[in-house]
Amino acid sequence: MRVAVSFDHRGVKLRAGVLQAIANLGHEIVDLGVETIDPRVDYPDKARDIGEAILNGDAERGVLVCGSGVGASVAACKLPGIRAAICHDVYSAHQGVEHDDMNVLCLGSEVVGAELAAELARTFLAARFDGGERYVRRLEKIEEMEGEKIDA
């Protein structure tokens, strides 16, 4: 599987462990940076990079790391077709794929350490979408929401 990975300046501290975990599984890494804490890189820019890589077919899934994981997941979910979530436990990392067809795993470098981040990436990449009728129905509802314009 081709896996896009991206880190903002705060997420970079998990970079080595996440990349190694993905490489150890034999997946092809689409590295979208960053490699250093300086200069600062905004998480919405990295979320756009990872989302576009998936939507353009350059990657099948992505791992996106910022300080908390919150900003990364909020920004990535703004792109239609991207289903990103923060997962700081292994249950969410596999269940998000199995039931919700999550395609971007978001992690917080200030929340999880390198070992847990690697385990979460492994769990996320090993999971497969269940494809059950109720899960497909729910995803179709999400797709409808993505196309709606809400008047406030």
Side-chain angles (χ1 to χ4, degrees):
M1 176 183 330
R2 285 182 321 243
V3 181
V5 293
S6 194
F7 308 83
D8 76 355
H9 62 281
R10 288 183 64 205
V12 75
K13 71 161 105 180
L14 292 180
R15 179 180 170 79
V18 168
L19 291 175
Q20 189 63 56
I22 295 169
N24 286 349
L25 293 171
H27 297 298
E28 179 183 339
I29 296 172
V30 179
D31 189 345
L32 302 172
V34 301
E35 298 178 11
T36 62
I37 61 170
D38 210 18
R40 290 181 177 212
V41 175
D42 294 334
Y43 63 81
D45 298 328
K46 302 319 295 175
R48 179 179 297 279
D49 290 347
I50 214 162
E52 288 177 351
I54 292 169
L55 296 172
N56 292 334
D58 297 327
E60 296 156 75
R61 291 201 194 159
V63 178
L64 179 58
V65 187
C66 71
S68 68
V70 174
S73 65
V74 168
C77 284
K78 298 299 180 187
L79 298 167
I82 298 302
R83 294 169 303 281
I86 304 168
C87 296
H88 292 149
D89 63 273
V90 293
Y91 176 79
S92 298
H94 71 78
Q95 190 270 343
V97 175
E98 294 164 356
H99 293 189
D100 306 308
D101 203 18
M102 178 175 69
N103 53 14
V104 177
L105 171 67
C106 297
L107 301 173
S109 66
E110 303 300 325
V111 181
V112 300
E115 289 300 317
L116 181 53
E119 181 63 23
L120 293 167
R122 286 189 293 268
T123 301
F124 165 68
L125 295 172
R128 298 292 174 257
F129 180 55
D130 178 277
E133 182 275 327
R134 66 183 172 164
Y135 305 126
V136 171
R137 181 183 70 246
R138 293 169 184 162
L139 288 174
E140 289 170 348
K141 289 180 179 185
I142 291 169
E143 288 174 0
E144 287 177 27
M145 291 170 61
E146 289 176 334
E148 292 176 4
K149 183 177 184 316
I150 306 296
D151 293 323

